[in-house]
Amino acid sequence: MQIISKSLTFSYNEKANFSRRALDGATLTVNEGDFFGIIGETGSGKSTFIQHLNGLIPLQSGTLTVGEFNLTVPKKRKEKKAFLKSLKQLRSKVGMVFQYPEYQLFAETVREDVAFGVKNFFPNASQEEVDFKVKKAIELVGLDYNLVAEKSPFDLSGGQKRRVAIAGVLASEPETLVLDEPVAGLDPVSKKRLMSLLHTLHDTGVVKTVIIVSHDMNDVMENCNRVAVFENGKVVKECEPKSLFENYDDYALSRLGLPVTAYLTKTLKGVGVNVESSYKIEDFTNKLIEKYFENR
Amino acid sequence: MLQDVTFGQYYETQSFVHKMDARIKLLALILYVVLIFVVKNFYGFLVVGAFLIVATIFSRVPLGAMLSSVKGILFLILFTVLLNVFFYQAPNETILFWVVSVESLTFAGFMALRLITLVLGSMLLTLTTTPVALTDAIESLLSPLKVIKFPVHELALVMSIALRFIPTLMAEADRIIMAQKARGADFDSGSLVARAKAMIPVLIPLLISAFRRAEELGDAMDSRSYSSSAVRTKYKKYRLTYRDLIGSIICVISLAGVILLNVYAGGIV
């Protein structure tokens, strides 16, 4: 599904005198098949933006289409009712994993928690179908079904809880997966595992499009094929990570901090070592090693 | 969204009533409540109404914010009125039809006025007083009870923490509701039972998070060696000013006025 937003504007507490504009004309296109990164400082509007994608926040102004869904809220009462009903269908297609999703677990067992979404989206599914989907989702996130299915989600470790929460979204088989700060608060190993899990899901076509929100440059550089930079509710840059890396002197990017590779290139240049720029840590390290042996 | 719900929200502005000492305002509210229950006839409500109008004008709180509180208890008012209309019995009733009499209608109107003025008065207090000032006032007013070992400070602490966490938990509830909606939860349709059941996936995580927050807060307080038995000074000292004197005088005059009217104009029944 292609996602096209044009001049999306949104204010919290629209009518109150202390209203705050969270989105101020955000224009953005995410193509099917993208591993899309959204970066920006805290309060730049990235979370507000993604909450529009499955109709959790009603559109105030601007337009947004997600696949064939037009998210403009109809004015007529009857149409509005039908629109609100159709949102459920949209939500089954655009899976949303919130920040710290493990805080939303509630059921007695992992199996029941993962089944929650499936039962909501496919009310007519038989018990076998539900069980099948749940099992598949739990295995997709790399957990042992037989080991965890009947456990209480609250007995699991932090990283495992997050996987269960993601499985809860994957179980309803969304085409697009949106994750808000998916690696926040995880240790480096769990972080790496989770990212490679997302890549596996994307590469094997379990989900067609992945959108991740982050304020860490490196996460986005390493993983995404397209990136949008949010600032004060606007999209100030939409490009490939490579070009983000090459223009790291831009104001918006410098506020977010340099990615590790850019920082190293810059520092090495300062001491007279010119390494060909490359933005992925792995490529960069390889080039650096090559350079080292060249000089020996 | 949940945060839109007005819950005794403080209205930020500078005014005579805002600057009054919270203790005096609290005492005034207690006096005001007594006043409302002492009132025996509609003339008395003229005094109450005048008091409310004067207080509202000097608080510079918009009328809409005040009246929104009445909207919240509209159902309760309606319920009370209906009950009174049908079940109120007085000797020598002037029956209009069935069980409805002039007396029962008058009494129902009287009760409705009582409820409305009660809510408006307490709304004025919370609109013009920050929760912090309010708990400080309660602590200060209850401090004589320390003599009999009543944990006044602890009570005030519990209150201020509870008040402090209302917006936090509301925001949290909002987030959880969104997350469950994203998983296809439906909170707006179905029978009453179905809707109540739909809240379970929200309430459990909310409860867990409340416990987690409580534990974290406890740890944070412990790590700073917080002890309720310690003698502590206040960051903000409350001093009585001429405003408090004027406010108190107006309250006492209103009470006197109502009592006089009770004596001279008699009761409604």
Side-chain angles (χ1 to χ4, degrees):
Chain A
M1 291 195 288
Q2 197 186 30
I3 297 167
I4 303 168
S5 93
K6 282 199 182 111
S7 333
L8 211 57
T9 301
F10 184 85
S11 303
Y12 284 100
N13 301 80
E14 202 183 8
K15 282 167 200 148
N17 48 2
F18 48 85
S19 82
R20 185 170 63 83
R21 199 164 255 204
L23 279 182
D24 190 9
T27 301
L28 185 64
T29 304
V30 180
N31 289 314
E32 182 166 307
D34 273 347
F35 201 114
F36 200 93
I38 292 176
I39 50 171
E41 291 176 273
T42 313
S44 57
K46 24 188 217 314
S47 293
T48 310
F49 176 76
I50 58 162
Q51 282 164 16
H52 277 89
L53 297 182
N54 61 0
L56 288 173
I57 294 182
L59 234 63
Q60 280 178 355
S61 78
T63 59
L64 176 67
T65 53
V66 178
E68 72 258 41
F69 283 91
N70 181 353
L71 275 125
T72 309
V73 185
K75 286 223 167 62
K76 282 184 194 156
R77 253 184 97 188
K78 237 184 181 173
E79 287 171 31
K80 194 173 170 183
K81 233 177 163 181
F83 168 78
L84 290 176
K85 267 205 164 150
S86 74
L87 281 182
K88 205 163 176 175
Q89 207 191 338
L90 172 67
R91 284 174 191 159
S92 77
K93 295 213 166 124
V94 181
M96 180 86 62
V97 179
F98 279 81
Q99 215 170 342
Y100 298 108
E102 56 273 28
Y103 291 163
Q104 286 120 36
L105 300 173
F106 71 95
E108 279 173 52
T109 64
V110 168
R111 184 176 51 75
E112 281 171 57
D113 205 285
V114 175
F116 180 67
V118 184
K119 283 182 182 163
N120 284 330
F121 288 129
F122 309 101
N124 302 323
S126 68
Q127 189 60 44
E128 287 83 53
E129 278 174 278
V130 173
D131 285 342
F132 175 76
K133 284 188 169 141
V134 169
K135 187 163 189 253
K136 197 171 133 197
I138 291 178
E139 280 165 356
L140 269 177
V141 296
L143 291 171
D144 186 341
Y145 180 81
N146 296 322
L147 220 60
V148 298
E150 298 305 323
K151 265 195 185 172
S152 160
F154 303 108
D155 289 340
L156 302 175
S157 75
Q160 284 175 320
K161 272 188 205 167
R162 191 162 296 188
R163 277 157 187 269
V164 170
I166 294 174
V169 174
L170 283 177
S172 28
E173 295 166 352
E175 283 177 34
T176 304
L177 189 61
V178 187
L179 304 104
D180 194 353
E181 302 275 2
V183 293
L186 289 184
D187 60 88
V189 178
S190 310
K191 197 169 160 175
K192 206 164 181 187
R193 262 200 220 147
L194 185 55
M195 273 303 178
S196 72
L197 165 70
L198 293 181
H199 278 293
T200 316
L201 293 174
H202 185 244
D203 295 344
T204 54
V206 175
V207 288
K208 287 181 185 145
T209 316
V210 175
I211 301 174
I212 60 168
V213 171
S214 176
H215 57 247
D216 189 335
M217 270 288 194
N218 297 305
D219 287 348
V220 171
M221 283 283 184
E222 290 292 309
N223 296 295
C224 302
N225 71 322
R226 273 193 86 71
V227 178
V229 181
F230 272 65
E231 196 182 80
N232 296 329
K234 289 188 178 71
V235 180
V236 290
K237 205 165 175 69
E238 191 188 339
C239 58
E240 284 174 21
K242 192 170 184 320
S243 107
L244 202 62
F245 168 78
E246 281 157 2
N247 300 307
Y248 57 71
D249 280 332
D250 284 11
Y251 168 72
L253 306 184
S254 59
R255 292 262 307 252
L256 289 163
L258 293 182
V260 175
T261 46
Y263 174 75
L264 286 174
T265 317
K266 206 177 167 184
T267 318
L268 286 171
K269 220 179 225 163
V271 295
V273 182
N274 282 319
V275 187
E276 198 188 325
S277 67
S278 79
Y279 63 94
K280 289 205 172 180
I281 291 181
E282 217 179 295
D283 298 340
F284 183 84
T285 327
N286 287 338
K287 290 216 170 100
L288 201 60
I289 293 168
E290 264 172 42
K291 187 99 185 167
Y292 175 75
F293 283 110
E294 241 173 60
N295 288 354
R296 292 252 320 235
Chain B
M1 270 185 232
L2 282 177
Q3 276 136 311
D4 298 342
V5 178
T6 329
F7 182 85
Q9 263 169 358
Y10 179 63
Y11 182 82
E12 179 110 40
T13 185
Q14 298 273 335
S15 82
F16 186 91
V17 181
H18 278 76
K19 282 182 185 158
M20 272 174 72
D21 193 304
R23 286 171 296 182
I24 298 296
K25 278 190 270 184
L26 197 60
L27 287 176
L29 181 69
I30 294 170
L31 201 71
Y32 175 82
V33 173
V34 171
L35 194 79
I36 289 172
F37 282 94
V38 164
V39 170
K40 272 194 191 155
N41 50 45
F42 284 103
Y43 298 113
F45 271 118
L46 285 179
V47 177
V48 174
F51 177 80
L52 259 182
I53 290 169
V54 169
T56 311
I57 289 171
F58 280 98
S59 71
R60 296 173 63 185
V61 169
L63 208 62
M66 288 282 284
L67 293 179
S68 69
S69 62
V70 179
K71 226 165 56 186
I73 60 152
L74 212 58
F75 181 75
L76 184 71
I77 294 173
L78 220 71
F79 192 68
T80 316
V81 166
L82 284 180
L83 276 187
N84 276 306
V85 166
F86 290 116
F87 293 105
Y88 183 77
Q89 277 176 339
N92 314 320
E93 279 180 312
T94 334
I95 301 279
L96 291 177
F97 59 91
W98 194 30
V99 292
V100 181
S101 65
V102 176
E103 282 78 11
S104 66
L105 280 177
T106 323
F107 192 75
F110 201 71
M111 288 306 283
L113 266 178
R114 208 169 248 182
L115 277 174
I116 292 168
T117 45
L118 195 66
V119 171
L120 284 177
S122 30
M123 195 65 189
L124 194 62
L125 177 74
T126 48
L127 278 169
T128 59
T129 319
T130 60
V132 177
L134 211 53
T135 42
D136 275 349
I138 290 170
E139 186 177 358
S140 170
L141 289 175
L142 290 180
S143 56
L145 291 177
K146 276 182 191 157
V147 179
I148 55 161
K149 298 261 160 85
F150 184 80
V152 176
H153 176 73
E154 284 82 348
L155 184 77
L157 183 73
V158 167
M159 275 183 61
S160 52
I161 290 175
L163 286 170
R164 160 66 186 77
F165 275 93
I166 289 172
T168 312
L169 288 180
M170 287 238 185
E172 181 100 13
D174 246 350
R175 268 191 38 196
I176 297 171
I177 286 176
M178 273 211 189
Q180 308 298 26
K181 264 189 184 170
R183 287 210 275 165
D186 193 350
F187 300 108
D188 309 317
S189 62
S191 66
L192 211 59
V193 180
R195 279 191 217 193
K197 266 193 176 166
M199 289 314 285
I200 293 174
V202 176
L203 289 178
I204 291 176
L206 194 62
L207 210 63
I208 291 171
S209 127
F211 274 108
R212 196 182 57 242
R213 280 176 199 282
E215 243 167 71
E216 281 169 4
L217 184 68
D219 284 345
M221 287 164 81
D222 273 344
S223 68
R224 286 175 227 178
S225 304
Y226 181 88
S227 155
S228 58
S229 61
V231 181
R232 58 189 72 248
T233 52
K234 286 257 181 254
Y235 168 66
K236 214 172 176 177
K237 290 257 184 219
Y238 296 97
R239 285 207 179 80
L240 300 181
T241 62
Y242 72 95
R243 293 191 189 86
D244 302 304
L245 186 68
I246 296 174
S248 311
I249 290 173
I250 291 176
C251 288
V252 172
I253 290 176
S254 309
L255 185 65
V258 166
I259 291 173
L260 281 178
L261 281 170
N262 276 351
V263 173
Y264 288 107
I268 50 160
V269 281

